[in-house]
Amino acid sequence: MIINFLIIIQEYMKKAVTRGLSACETLIMKVVWDAKEDIAVQELIVQLKEQYGKDYARTTVVTFLGKMADKGFVSTHRRGKNAYVHAEKTE
């Protein structure tokens, strides 16, 4: 099971690297794409930890999101006090 998981991640990374995403940005995009709808930044952080064991600080994730927005992969917006991420590109 772990081997299959690693193979899937490697395939996503190969595709993403050719699109100009780093390995960390690729994991973030995978979570955003899997969400199927806009995802709260806090939920994104939780999913990164649960699915990939990545315990990123909020500031780190927000920095990555800013870079990814500059590349055209995501946009962010606020609803009340929460910030949400929207995928601008599909898998």
Side-chain angles (χ1 to χ4, degrees):
M1 184 169 152
I2 292 175
I3 293 173
N4 289 339
F5 170 75
L6 292 174
I7 291 170
I8 291 169
I9 294 301
Q10 286 175 342
E11 290 303 313
Y12 274 105
M13 289 177 146
K14 286 179 191 174
K15 292 177 187 176
V17 169
T18 60
R19 295 183 198 161
L21 290 179
S22 70
C24 296
E25 292 169 339
T26 300
L27 292 179
I28 291 170
M29 278 310 301
K30 176 71 175 117
V31 173
V32 172
W33 283 324
D34 287 349
K36 305 294 185 210
E37 58 184 37
D38 295 356
I39 184 171
V41 171
Q42 193 58 40
E43 180 61 23
L44 174 62
I45 293 167
V46 169
Q47 291 302 315
L48 286 167
K49 186 171 184 175
E50 288 180 1
Q51 293 180 30
Y52 302 108
K54 299 295 184 181
D55 193 15
Y56 294 132
R58 180 180 175 84
T59 53
T60 302
V61 173
V62 170
T63 298
F64 280 125
L65 291 172
K67 291 178 180 183
M68 294 163 67
D70 290 344
K71 295 176 185 180
F73 281 87
V74 298
S75 61
T76 58
H77 61 278
R78 296 191 77 77
R79 271 189 252 157
K81 293 183 179 183
N82 295 319
Y84 288 82
V85 180
H86 175 77
E88 295 294 341
K89 294 186 179 182
T90 60
E91 285 183 86

